[in-house]
Amino acid sequence: LRLSTRIALALGNGERALMAAAAAYDLAPADGPAQSDVLHVCFQLRDRAPLRDRVAAVAERVAREAMDLSPESLVRLGEVRLETGDPHGGVELLCLALSHDGANAHALAALARVFSERRDWGRAASCMHRLARVTEEPRERQARFLDAADIWEKQANIPVRAVAVLEEALERDTRDAAVLHRLVALWGRLGEWEKLIGALQVLGGLEKEPARQAKHVYASAGVVREKI
């Protein structure tokens, strides 16, 4: 049955692959390879409308053993449930994956997406913030910190939380111009004048052209004159 699953999937016969994978799983639900195969097939077919109900039914059988699944399997099963019309069940499984592995990037990314679609901005921002923390590649990590700050500021309308996210990002790279520019705007909005002046001085030091350096010097001097 497992061989039939692979052949059918390779040939593009999703219906037959699903039948074979489900049959193999039903024969031995505790068998790791059979479990892996059925989850893989469901994941691959999750967005195929003609098979949606059948994929959902098979995924439901696998979900009964959710407590015994690995975080990676829980994420796949959660994504399947989201695509097949069970958003509540999908979120539950993704959260269960995080309870086993709090740094699971796939679960955090999926939850950030789901909460954004629901306009649940606080939870979306929190998931994006956590995702930034576990991202190793510097540019991708910076982008996720900025995204989390954007959600807090522009969607949740809680600029203080946006500042907290950006200040954490700045601790990782004190010369990050993109983060500094965002903080300049937010610190100005919140009246954090000393921090704003410090950021302008750092930004001035990053400039290579004297005229642009002078622009930041004048800006910081203006803050000192008018606000301090």
Side-chain angles (χ1 to χ4, degrees), residues 64-87:
R64 293 170 190 157
E65 309 297 327
M67 296 306 297
D68 298 323
L69 296 176
S70 68
E72 292 74 19
S73 295
L74 288 167
V75 171
R76 284 199 160 196
L77 191 56
E79 290 271 24
V80 170
R81 281 191 148 182
L82 291 174
E83 284 287 340
T84 55
D86 183 10

mmCIF file of all heavy atoms in Angstrom, residues 64-87:
data_model
loop_
_atom_site.group_PDB
_atom_site.id
_atom_site.type_symbol
_atom_site.label_atom_id
_atom_site.label_comp_id
_atom_site.label_asym_id
_atom_site.label_seq_id
_atom_site.Cartn_x
_atom_site.Cartn_y
_atom_site.Cartn_z
ATOM 1 N N ARG A 64 -7.137 12.187 15.644
ATOM 2 C CA ARG A 64 -7.514 11.514 16.890
ATOM 3 C C ARG A 64 -6.291 11.074 17.691
ATOM 4 O O ARG A 64 -6.375 10.850 18.899
ATOM 5 C CB ARG A 64 -8.393 10.303 16.578
ATOM 6 C CG ARG A 64 -9.761 10.675 15.995
ATOM 7 C CD ARG A 64 -10.487 9.462 15.486
ATOM 8 N NE ARG A 64 -11.681 9.836 14.715
ATOM 9 C CZ ARG A 64 -12.247 9.050 13.806
ATOM 10 N NH1 ARG A 64 -11.746 7.836 13.572
ATOM 11 N NH2 ARG A 64 -13.316 9.461 13.152
ATOM 12 N N GLU A 65 -5.166 10.952 17.004
ATOM 13 C CA GLU A 65 -3.918 10.561 17.673
ATOM 14 C C GLU A 65 -2.992 11.764 17.844
ATOM 15 O O GLU A 65 -1.783 11.616 17.940
ATOM 16 C CB GLU A 65 -3.193 9.476 16.846
ATOM 17 C CG GLU A 65 -4.066 8.302 16.463
ATOM 18 C CD GLU A 65 -4.573 7.541 17.674
ATOM 19 O OE1 GLU A 65 -3.824 7.476 18.677
ATOM 20 O OE2 GLU A 65 -5.704 7.026 17.617
ATOM 21 N N ALA A 66 -3.567 12.964 17.882
ATOM 22 C CA ALA A 66 -2.773 14.196 17.866
ATOM 23 C C ALA A 66 -1.741 14.261 18.989
ATOM 24 O O ALA A 66 -0.627 14.757 18.798
ATOM 25 C CB ALA A 66 -3.687 15.417 17.922
ATOM 26 N N MET A 67 -2.094 13.762 20.157
ATOM 27 C CA MET A 67 -1.181 13.871 21.294
ATOM 28 C C MET A 67 0.094 13.076 21.083
ATOM 29 O O MET A 67 1.097 13.315 21.754
ATOM 30 C CB MET A 67 -1.893 13.420 22.577
ATOM 31 C CG MET A 67 -3.076 14.291 22.963
ATOM 32 S SD MET A 67 -2.683 16.065 23.092
ATOM 33 C CE MET A 67 -1.503 16.035 24.447
ATOM 34 N N ASP A 68 0.063 12.118 20.168
ATOM 35 C CA ASP A 68 1.245 11.288 19.922
ATOM 36 C C ASP A 68 2.044 11.745 18.708
ATOM 37 O O ASP A 68 3.063 11.143 18.378
ATOM 38 C CB ASP A 68 0.822 9.818 19.712
ATOM 39 C CG ASP A 68 0.143 9.241 20.948
ATOM 40 O OD1 ASP A 68 0.563 9.584 22.068
ATOM 41 O OD2 ASP A 68 -0.807 8.455 20.782
ATOM 42 N N LEU A 69 1.597 12.795 18.033
ATOM 43 C CA LEU A 69 2.272 13.253 16.818
ATOM 44 C C LEU A 69 3.432 14.179 17.141
ATOM 45 O O LEU A 69 3.424 14.887 18.151
ATOM 46 C CB LEU A 69 1.280 13.985 15.907
ATOM 47 C CG LEU A 69 0.120 13.149 15.342
ATOM 48 C CD1 LEU A 69 -0.815 14.039 14.538
ATOM 49 C CD2 LEU A 69 0.645 12.014 14.479
ATOM 50 N N SER A 70 4.425 14.200 16.256
ATOM 51 C CA SER A 70 5.553 15.117 16.399
ATOM 52 C C SER A 70 5.097 16.536 16.065
ATOM 53 O O SER A 70 4.064 16.729 15.400
ATOM 54 C CB SER A 70 6.673 14.719 15.438
ATOM 55 O OG SER A 70 6.270 14.946 14.092
ATOM 56 N N PRO A 71 5.848 17.562 16.500
ATOM 57 C CA PRO A 71 5.474 18.938 16.146
ATOM 58 C C PRO A 71 5.357 19.151 14.638
ATOM 59 O O PRO A 71 4.437 19.841 14.167
ATOM 60 C CB PRO A 71 6.619 19.767 16.739
ATOM 61 C CG PRO A 71 7.111 18.952 17.886
ATOM 62 C CD PRO A 71 6.991 17.526 17.428
ATOM 63 N N GLU A 72 6.262 18.547 13.861
ATOM 64 C CA GLU A 72 6.219 18.704 12.409
ATOM 65 C C GLU A 72 4.932 18.109 11.832
ATOM 66 O O GLU A 72 4.300 18.692 10.949
ATOM 67 C CB GLU A 72 7.435 18.035 11.762
ATOM 68 C CG GLU A 72 8.763 18.697 12.061
ATOM 69 C CD GLU A 72 9.255 18.439 13.485
ATOM 70 O OE1 GLU A 72 8.761 17.468 14.133
ATOM 71 O OE2 GLU A 72 10.113 19.205 13.945
ATOM 72 N N SER A 73 4.536 16.936 12.351
ATOM 73 C CA SER A 73 3.301 16.313 11.881
ATOM 74 C C SER A 73 2.085 17.134 12.287
ATOM 75 O O SER A 73 1.125 17.269 11.518
ATOM 76 C CB SER A 73 3.184 14.901 12.449
ATOM 77 O OG SER A 73 4.219 14.072 11.950
ATOM 78 N N LEU A 74 2.108 17.683 13.480
ATOM 79 C CA LEU A 74 1.000 18.518 13.938
ATOM 80 C C LEU A 74 0.843 19.757 13.059
ATOM 81 O O LEU A 74 -0.286 20.180 12.760
ATOM 82 C CB LEU A 74 1.222 18.933 15.391
ATOM 83 C CG LEU A 74 1.050 17.822 16.438
ATOM 84 C CD1 LEU A 74 1.595 18.278 17.791
ATOM 85 C CD2 LEU A 74 -0.423 17.437 16.565
ATOM 86 N N VAL A 75 1.968 20.344 12.647
ATOM 87 C CA VAL A 75 1.903 21.519 11.780
ATOM 88 C C VAL A 75 1.264 21.148 10.446
ATOM 89 O O VAL A 75 0.381 21.849 9.939
ATOM 90 C CB VAL A 75 3.304 22.122 11.557
ATOM 91 C CG1 VAL A 75 3.260 23.198 10.484
ATOM 92 C CG2 VAL A 75 3.828 22.714 12.858
ATOM 93 N N ARG A 76 1.703 20.039 9.858
ATOM 94 C CA ARG A 76 1.124 19.612 8.581
ATOM 95 C C ARG A 76 -0.369 19.346 8.718
ATOM 96 O O ARG A 76 -1.172 19.759 7.868
ATOM 97 C CB ARG A 76 1.839 18.355 8.086
ATOM 98 C CG ARG A 76 3.204 18.631 7.495
ATOM 99 C CD ARG A 76 3.670 17.485 6.635
ATOM 100 N NE ARG A 76 4.721 17.932 5.731
ATOM 101 C CZ ARG A 76 5.127 17.271 4.663
ATOM 102 N NH1 ARG A 76 4.545 16.115 4.376
ATOM 103 N NH2 ARG A 76 6.080 17.731 3.890
ATOM 104 N N LEU A 77 -0.730 18.663 9.774
ATOM 105 C CA LEU A 77 -2.137 18.359 9.989
ATOM 106 C C LEU A 77 -2.941 19.634 10.234
ATOM 107 O O LEU A 77 -4.072 19.776 9.758
ATOM 108 C CB LEU A 77 -2.269 17.404 11.171
ATOM 109 C CG LEU A 77 -3.632 16.758 11.417
ATOM 110 C CD1 LEU A 77 -4.110 16.017 10.171
ATOM 111 C CD2 LEU A 77 -3.553 15.799 12.597
ATOM 112 N N GLY A 78 -2.338 20.578 10.951
ATOM 113 C CA GLY A 78 -3.001 21.865 11.170
ATOM 114 C C GLY A 78 -3.226 22.613 9.873
ATOM 115 O O GLY A 78 -4.311 23.178 9.636
ATOM 116 N N GLU A 79 -2.220 22.608 8.994
ATOM 117 C CA GLU A 79 -2.360 23.279 7.692
ATOM 118 C C GLU A 79 -3.455 22.614 6.866
ATOM 119 O O GLU A 79 -4.217 23.290 6.168
ATOM 120 C CB GLU A 79 -1.025 23.221 6.943
ATOM 121 C CG GLU A 79 0.078 24.077 7.539
ATOM 122 C CD GLU A 79 0.079 25.483 6.990
ATOM 123 O OE1 GLU A 79 -0.976 25.949 6.513
ATOM 124 O OE2 GLU A 79 1.155 26.111 7.029
ATOM 125 N N VAL A 80 -3.534 21.284 6.940
ATOM 126 C CA VAL A 80 -4.579 20.566 6.206
ATOM 127 C C VAL A 80 -5.953 20.985 6.713
ATOM 128 O O VAL A 80 -6.867 21.272 5.925
ATOM 129 C CB VAL A 80 -4.394 19.039 6.353
ATOM 130 C CG1 VAL A 80 -5.618 18.298 5.804
ATOM 131 C CG2 VAL A 80 -3.131 18.589 5.624
ATOM 132 N N ARG A 81 -6.109 21.044 8.020
ATOM 133 C CA ARG A 81 -7.411 21.433 8.580
ATOM 134 C C ARG A 81 -7.781 22.867 8.188
ATOM 135 O O ARG A 81 -8.948 23.165 7.916
ATOM 136 C CB ARG A 81 -7.391 21.280 10.095
ATOM 137 C CG ARG A 81 -7.577 19.835 10.546
ATOM 138 C CD ARG A 81 -7.826 19.743 12.029
ATOM 139 N NE ARG A 81 -8.688 18.616 12.348
ATOM 140 C CZ ARG A 81 -9.094 18.329 13.576
ATOM 141 N NH1 ARG A 81 -8.737 19.098 14.594
ATOM 142 N NH2 ARG A 81 -9.868 17.291 13.799
ATOM 143 N N LEU A 82 -6.803 23.759 8.181
ATOM 144 C CA LEU A 82 -7.081 25.132 7.772
ATOM 145 C C LEU A 82 -7.596 25.182 6.337
ATOM 146 O O LEU A 82 -8.542 25.911 6.033
ATOM 147 C CB LEU A 82 -5.812 25.985 7.896
ATOM 148 C CG LEU A 82 -5.305 26.283 9.307
ATOM 149 C CD1 LEU A 82 -3.966 27.011 9.229
ATOM 150 C CD2 LEU A 82 -6.308 27.115 10.092
ATOM 151 N N GLU A 83 -6.971 24.405 5.461
ATOM 152 C CA GLU A 83 -7.331 24.434 4.037
ATOM 153 C C GLU A 83 -8.641 23.714 3.753
ATOM 154 O O GLU A 83 -9.279 23.987 2.740
ATOM 155 C CB GLU A 83 -6.210 23.808 3.207
ATOM 156 C CG GLU A 83 -4.993 24.687 3.022
ATOM 157 C CD GLU A 83 -5.241 25.834 2.063
ATOM 158 O OE1 GLU A 83 -6.197 25.756 1.267
ATOM 159 O OE2 GLU A 83 -4.478 26.812 2.115
ATOM 160 N N THR A 84 -9.000 22.778 4.619
ATOM 161 C CA THR A 84 -10.203 21.976 4.334
ATOM 162 C C THR A 84 -11.417 22.432 5.127
ATOM 163 O O THR A 84 -12.382 21.685 5.283
ATOM 164 C CB THR A 84 -9.933 20.476 4.600
ATOM 165 O OG1 THR A 84 -9.455 20.302 5.949
ATOM 166 C CG2 THR A 84 -8.896 19.944 3.618
ATOM 167 N N GLY A 85 -11.360 23.644 5.646
ATOM 168 C CA GLY A 85 -12.558 24.230 6.236
ATOM 169 C C GLY A 85 -12.740 24.045 7.722
ATOM 170 O O GLY A 85 -13.858 24.171 8.225
ATOM 171 N N ASP A 86 -11.643 23.769 8.436
ATOM 172 C CA ASP A 86 -11.739 23.641 9.894
ATOM 173 C C ASP A 86 -10.700 24.557 10.538
ATOM 174 O O ASP A 86 -9.703 24.078 11.081
ATOM 175 C CB ASP A 86 -11.512 22.189 10.305
ATOM 176 C CG ASP A 86 -11.666 21.973 11.807
ATOM 177 O OD1 ASP A 86 -12.125 22.908 12.499
ATOM 178 O OD2 ASP A 86 -11.298 20.886 12.296
ATOM 179 N N PRO A 87 -10.913 25.874 10.475
ATOM 180 C CA PRO A 87 -9.910 26.798 11.006
ATOM 181 C C PRO A 87 -9.683 26.649 12.506
ATOM 182 O O PRO A 87 -8.558 26.773 12.978
ATOM 183 C CB PRO A 87 -10.470 28.179 10.662
ATOM 184 C CG PRO A 87 -11.942 27.965 10.452
ATOM 185 C CD PRO A 87 -12.061 26.586 9.883
#
